[in-house]
Amino acid sequence: MRSPTALFAALMLAVAPAWAQDKAQGEAKKGAPAAEKKAEAAKKEPTEAQKRQQERMRACNEKAAARKLEGDARKSFMSACLRGEDVDKDDKKLTQQEKMKACNKQASDKGLKGDDRKKFMSECLKG
């Protein structure tokens, strides 16, 4: 009784690698037409909508680079820009750092010191 079971086990061990190899070759053959389709798709010209999107992406990238945006600030700017929101209106607003620089220059030009300077800076940065 042991011999038919042992014979069956030995047969399965011998056939399993060959069966797996045939399956892998079959999957490789199935993948070949998909690769050809991808190559054909890559050769096609972009549609008008794709061209407009590419141009919008290029313009938004240039604006983000000009503003020297990085990280999350760049990501949110690009998102708004690609949605078509008016991102140029933000050019009129100064960043906190730019406000500080401008207010410091004004305070220095006025020759303010001590409490007068602090009061002026506070008011300047609010506006």
Side-chain angles (χ1 to χ4, degrees):
M1 293 244 194
R2 287 188 195 185
S3 64
T5 307
L7 181 62
F8 180 72
L11 182 62
M12 289 306 293
L13 288 174
V15 175
W19 182 59
Q21 186 177 12
D22 287 342
K23 187 176 181 181
Q25 287 175 353
E27 288 176 4
K29 288 179 184 177
K30 289 179 185 176
E36 291 173 8
K37 288 179 183 177
K38 287 181 182 178
E40 288 177 20
K43 293 178 186 177
K44 292 181 182 178
E45 289 293 317
T47 64
E48 288 301 315
Q50 289 171 331
K51 287 179 183 178
R52 284 193 305 271
Q53 179 65 15
Q54 289 171 350
E55 185 58 37
R56 186 181 300 146
M57 180 70 92
R58 190 175 299 116
C60 290
N61 269 323
E62 288 173 4
K63 289 178 183 178
R67 294 179 182 198
K68 298 178 182 167
L69 297 175
E70 294 179 355
D72 289 339
R74 183 182 181 90
K75 188 183 287 186
S76 63
F77 172 83
M78 289 295 291
S79 179
C81 184
L82 291 173
R83 280 194 308 264
E85 294 178 7
D86 188 15
V87 292
D88 292 328
K89 68 181 179 184
D90 292 338
D91 286 340
K92 298 172 188 168
K93 295 180 181 177
L94 296 177
T95 64
Q96 183 66 25
Q97 186 176 7
E98 291 169 334
K99 283 182 190 178
M100 183 70 96
K101 188 176 181 180
C103 291
N104 268 327
K105 185 172 182 343
Q106 290 175 9
S108 295
D109 291 346
K110 292 181 179 183
L112 298 175
K113 305 256 184 214
D115 289 337
D116 291 336
R117 185 181 183 93
K118 285 182 184 178
K119 184 177 178 185
F120 172 80
M121 290 294 291
S122 177
E123 291 298 317
C124 183
L125 291 172
K126 286 179 185 175

